[in-house]
Structure formats: structure tokens, C-alpha cells
Amino acid sequence: MKRKWHGIAVLTLSSMLATGCTLTGEATPKTVTLSDNVKFESAFEENNLIITHKASYPIEFKTDYTGFKGNQLYFNKKNATYLYDIESEKTDKLVDAPFYLLSEDGQRALSRDKDKFYVYDFKNDTQQFIGKGSESAEYRMYFGDPEGSTVIQVLDDNNGFRVEKTVLETKQKFSWNLGELIDLNGFAINTALASNEGIYIVGESFQDGYGLYHLLENGDMKQLSSLDGINSMDHFEFLDENTIIYNDNYKGKSGIFTLDLTTGNVTQLVAGGEDKEGIWVPFYKLSPDQSKILFDTPVQVGKEYKTNVYVAEFVEGKLTKPTLLMQNAELYAVISMTGYWSDDSNTAYISTTIPGEETIHTVEAFSIIKDQ
């Protein structure tokens, strides 16, 4: 039995909530969206979120989650990038080049033409050369921030194994020779995160050991956390300057966690689990205003695995009153890729497929607002 539950491939060089929940579903293997215009209540107290299933948008052409940005779908056709609006059903041609990666906000795209890499800015209608590399370099060149204002490139050549950051506005490049700073054995090369002063990475420093580090543009390397009890952290985001959210493990338990960088305290928001196929980790999609998240859990229906999708609100650093949005959904990838929030954080979009296919079949839209 193989779980159809895809995530980001991490390349290396070598519940529900914390109370937990059962993995076996009893419902029929059918995607279920909850009723329209319903104010949900938890079993114990009133929910602070008003949730409405707004619409289901069938997608009549072939496109996959790499171009999914909520009500905007980007797709390649005849070596060009197109944009489809699911509400107006209008299609526009953006650039005469195919994309392979979009910024989180959908305003910029990375594209490769043979051995040359470019960034296309859709809003300003500009093209910017970034660097050269083979087809495999696509997995080692990505946007370093949600707006796509920086590009991270991992290089391995005569100058050593290094990470390079390009600031698009100024065209400045900053480089760090990782072979001189950290143990490269098992280092994840596609998880560097850009900052205004440098980049953040997780690795085994030769000087200070394992931890989360801030590599500064002036060459300094600052440890932000020793990550005690955290064996790996392949994806993380900052909620504020002292708090990060990540999904992986802590002291042998999988789940979604927050880490306070000032105290070192770790809080489990959502628990993962283990079945006969091994340990599974829930994924999440953080809203732009950082007040809510979507998260997913696998559910076994007969001999197959489907996905349950939930929404929950942050209150004083913890998630409260998780609400089931979709039950036994057929998602091609984890919710961090198949889910998306509107800019105002009031609408959540979830893209679904049908078994055996890789393209988007339907986009479900939910209005999720805080009760005043």
C-alpha cells in the first residue's frame, strides 16, 4: 500500500491537535465539502471563525499545483506562461517563456532557457538574468522570500560548495562558502531562507554544533538556536522576529511546532502520527496575516489514503478550535502546495485532483473570517 501524499523533495548531500487522533476513517471515499453559510461550533465552546464554502470551480484544462495560487492558476503552453482567473474564467498570456517555479505571491517566476536562468516580474513586465546552470540546477535555485525579491542558488564548483543570494532590486550578490562553515553531510540544500541581512540555514556548524544560524552579509555567522530536541527542520517560517513555525519533529514526536528563539521553548500545535508505513508529518499553510493556518492529516479509507483538511486560528501563540474543511479529499500534494490564502487572509483555496491524475480537477473556495 503506497500513500499518495506528495511533498517537497528535500535534496541532501549525503491528531489533529497535540492530543492526537485515529488515522482510520469510517466515511465513504468521497471528497466532502462542508455546508454553505454555516457558523461552526466546537464541541466545547463557540468557535471564533465564521466559515462558508463559497464555491467549487472545475478546471477544464491541464494544470498542476506548481502554478496554483488560489483563484489564479499559472500554466505553461507552447513555451509561454499563461494566467487563468478561476472566477472570471479569463486567460492572459504573460511572457513568452515557460516557468518552473513561482514566488509565493505569484508575482515573479523563475525560468530556464537552456543553461540560462531568468526571473520574470509579471507586475513590472521585466526580465532579469540570474545565472547559468544545467537542468538539475532548477532544484538548487529558488526564491528566498514570499515576494520573490531574492533568489537563492546553491553552487558546487571550483570555488567550493556555497550558497549565493541575489537581491533583484539592486542586483547585488552575496555568497557563503558552506564547506568552510558547516558539515555538509545530510545538509538540505533547498531550505535556505533569505533575510534583509543575509540568509537563515539549519546545519551542523564546525564551531558551535547543530542549530539554526543567521549567515550575515558581512561574513558573520550567528547561532539563533541550538535546536535542542529537534533532529531536523527542513521547512520553517518566522511568525515574528523571535518565533518560528515548522513541521518536522521534536524529541521523537512529529507534528507542527513553534519555537521561541529567546527561551528555546517548543510548543506542539498539531500532532503527527505513525502507522504501518512509518511516521507521518502534518503540513500547514500559514495565512498572510499569520492569524490562521490550514493543516492536513492523512486518513485511511479502505486500502487507500485520502486527506482531511482543517483550519485553525492562532490565539496567544496556540491553535484553537480546529474545524474540518474537507474530509477524504484527493489532494495530489500536501496542503502547503495544494492550499492557498487570499491576500487579506479571509479566503482559503484548496485544489483537488482525481485518483491517478496529477492535474487540478477542482478548486474549492472557503470564506474564513473572525467573528466580531
Side-chain angles (χ1 to χ4, degrees):
M1 178 168 55
K2 183 178 180 181
R3 178 176 300 160
K4 181 81 173 297
W5 216 47
H6 303 267
I8 300 174
V10 177
L11 308 179
T12 64
L13 299 179
S14 43
S15 161
M16 296 275 299
L17 293 184
T19 53
C21 66
T22 179
L23 188 63
T24 302
E26 297 178 353
T28 57
K30 175 183 178 182
T31 296
V32 178
T33 56
L34 301 180
S35 301
D36 291 354
N37 304 317
V38 176
K39 180 177 178 181
F40 296 99
E41 294 183 351
S42 95
F44 304 102
E45 55 184 323
E46 187 176 357
N47 200 327
N48 292 328
L49 298 178
I50 299 175
I51 305 172
T52 303
H53 178 226
K54 293 175 63 176
S56 297
Y57 298 96
I59 307 304
E60 305 294 343
F61 60 96
K62 289 188 176 181
T63 183
D64 61 29
Y65 68 88
T66 59
F68 172 64
K69 297 298 177 183
N71 63 334
Q72 307 285 302
L73 299 182
Y74 297 79
F75 64 97
N76 293 324
K77 182 180 179 181
K78 295 181 179 179
N79 289 321
T81 298
Y82 290 81
L83 174 61
Y84 174 76
D85 186 288
I86 66 173
E87 296 172 350
S88 67
E89 299 184 350
K90 180 181 178 182
T91 301
D92 291 312
K93 184 178 180 180
L94 299 179
V95 294
D96 286 314
F99 75 92
Y100 74 86
L101 185 66
L102 296 170
S103 60
E104 174 61 22
D105 65 3
Q107 294 302 306
R108 292 185 173 99
L110 273 166
S111 179
R112 179 177 61 86
D113 182 8
K114 297 180 181 178
D115 65 340
K116 296 180 180 180
F117 286 80
Y118 299 89
V119 169
Y120 288 92
D121 187 317
F122 301 135
K123 182 178 181 180
N124 298 313
D125 193 25
T126 60
Q127 171 188 330
Q128 187 170 335
F129 174 73
I130 298 299
K132 291 186 176 183
S134 63
E135 181 179 357
S136 63
E138 289 187 2
Y139 300 100
R140 295 181 280 112
M141 187 181 297
Y142 51 92
F143 290 110
D145 58 278
E147 297 78 22
S149 64
T150 58
V151 173
I152 302 293
Q153 185 177 11
V154 179
L155 301 164
D156 186 13
D157 53 29
N158 294 333
N159 295 318
F161 185 85
R162 63 194 193 280
V163 171
E164 183 176 271
K165 182 181 80 169
T166 301
V167 181
L168 298 181
E169 183 178 3
T170 63
K171 298 183 180 180
Q172 288 177 290
K173 290 183 179 290
F174 301 91
S175 182
W176 296 267
N177 191 325
L178 294 186
E180 298 176 354
L181 300 174
I182 65 172
D183 184 350
L184 299 177
N185 183 32
F187 174 71
I189 68 176
N190 60 346
T191 54
L193 183 65
S195 74
N196 291 333
E197 300 85 20
I199 61 171
Y200 301 103
I201 64 166
V202 174
E204 184 85 24
S205 164
F206 292 127
Q207 180 176 338
D208 297 314
Y210 182 70
L212 171 64
Y213 291 91
H214 195 186
L215 306 187
L216 301 176
E217 293 168 358
N218 63 10
D220 291 344
M221 182 175 181
K222 179 182 178 181
Q223 186 185 72
L224 301 181
S225 172
S226 61
L227 300 181
D228 292 337
I230 303 173
N231 297 325
S232 63
M233 185 187 290
D234 291 329
H235 175 74
F236 60 93
E237 297 175 81
F238 278 81
L239 295 177
D240 56 52
E241 62 180 6
N242 294 316
T243 310
I244 63 173
I245 182 173
Y246 76 97
N247 67 309
D248 211 308
N249 71 79
Y250 175 67
K251 293 186 176 180
K253 295 182 179 180
S254 64
I256 302 171
F257 304 87
T258 55
L259 168 64
D260 188 319
L261 297 177
T262 59
T263 65
N265 292 336
V266 175
T267 301
Q268 187 179 48
L269 303 177
V270 180
E274 185 174 5
D275 58 26
K276 62 183 180 181
E277 291 192 344
I279 296 174
W280 57 267
V281 178
F283 284 72
Y284 69 90
K285 190 72 173 184
L286 182 67
S287 64
D289 66 0
Q290 300 181 334
S291 68
K292 302 180 283 288
I293 65 169
L294 301 172
F295 67 91
D296 56 14
T297 63
V299 57
Q300 186 175 353
V301 180
K303 295 182 178 180
E304 298 182 345
Y305 280 90
K306 307 293 183 181
T307 304
N308 285 350
V309 180
Y310 302 83
V311 64
E313 180 186 16
F314 277 106
V315 176
E316 296 181 352
K318 296 183 179 181
L319 290 183
T320 61
K321 312 174 189 70
T323 299
L324 179 67
L325 287 186
M326 299 184 71
Q327 182 180 27
N328 301 332
E330 187 71 35
L331 308 186
Y332 179 74
V334 293
I335 198 63
S336 56
M337 291 181 165
T338 55
Y340 198 77
W341 290 92
S342 60
D343 291 341
D344 62 7
S345 300
N346 290 333
T347 304
Y349 300 91
I350 301 170
S351 61
T352 67
T353 185
I354 58 177
E357 294 193 3
E358 301 179 1
T359 55
I360 296 174
H361 180 261
T362 305
V363 175
E364 305 290 348
F366 297 87
S367 172
I368 304 172
I369 60 176
K370 187 177 179 65
D371 190 10
Q372 301 298 326

